[in-house]
Amino acid sequence: AERLWVDGTPWPLGMAEALQRSARPPFEEEFGPELEIAMSRARELLITGVTRNTLMTGKYGKFEDWLRQGCRIRMLLIDPSSEAVGIVADRYYAERSPDSTRERIRHTLRLLAELKRSTAGNLSVRLTSYPLAMGVTSVDGSPDRRSAVSALFAEYYTYQAPG
């Protein structure tokens, strides 16, 4: 019993010990099925990003379902008329011009407008003039919406070039 006591960890844990023991988030090239599973169970989604065109075109039908099921969806994109578009096009997309990035944002905005019209769901969009360096999907993240599926998925936009 004495040896067990000596090997024991004092409680409560200090901040450094607690941080050392906490699970670290994995860094992946792309999100796996966890993202869609979490989103499918959400009561609220907050999604930020430059264009979110790929997400919207790839999961358009899912977004329709989620809105019809009562999910509240908020989307924050870069304003296509802002100078931030040129910054992010140069910074994150080696082969994209500001014009193509603007068109991708406008395409997403058209998809979002159609989603709002066709579902009459709780969908709202805001535009920012800040050059976002990260795309975020927050699932049931607000204080009054926390749930068993609450999660935060962050996509860091690194400079991408061939090779």
Side-chain angles (χ1 to χ4, degrees):
E2 284 298 322
R3 284 196 325 249
L4 290 171
W5 175 258
V6 170
D7 277 348
T9 303
W11 185 86
L13 295 176
M15 183 60 74
E17 182 72 20
L19 284 173
Q20 183 180 13
R21 290 174 175 229
S22 66
R24 295 288 176 231
F27 289 92
E28 305 284 341
E29 286 291 322
E30 61 183 56
F31 297 119
E34 302 85 9
L35 175 63
E36 188 172 323
I37 291 168
M39 291 172 74
S40 71
R41 296 178 182 160
R43 294 178 295 148
E44 177 184 79
L45 295 171
L46 170 60
I47 301 169
T48 72
V50 175
T51 70
R52 287 303 179 185
N53 197 0
T54 304
L55 178 67
M56 290 306 305
T57 56
K59 302 213 180 301
Y60 188 89
K62 300 283 186 189
F63 277 98
E64 282 182 311
D65 294 342
W66 299 333
L67 285 165
R68 286 190 178 120
Q69 293 166 7
C71 183
R72 175 185 179 208
I73 299 175
R74 296 178 294 153
M75 182 91 61
L76 175 70
L77 303 173
I78 291 184
D79 186 334
S81 64
S82 76
E83 292 181 17
V85 172
I87 294 168
V88 299
D90 287 341
R91 189 181 292 169
Y92 310 130
Y93 304 112
E95 297 178 10
R96 285 202 187 128
S97 69
D99 288 338
S100 71
T101 302
R102 280 186 182 88
E103 186 48 41
R104 289 172 59 83
I105 296 168
R106 289 184 186 113
H107 183 255
T108 298
L109 292 171
R110 288 190 296 272
L111 290 173
L112 291 167
E114 178 57 25
L115 268 175
K116 176 79 172 170
R117 188 199 63 72
S118 68
T119 64
N122 190 351
L123 172 65
S124 54
V125 179
R126 290 196 179 177
L127 302 174
T128 183
S129 60
Y130 292 102
L132 301 174
M134 186 176 295
V136 170
T137 300
S138 172
V139 179
D140 290 349
S142 62
D144 60 331
R145 294 283 183 156
R146 298 271 165 80
S147 72
V149 298
S150 291
L152 180 66
F153 296 86
E155 179 182 6
Y156 179 66
Y157 302 135
T158 57
Y159 182 73
Q160 298 179 21

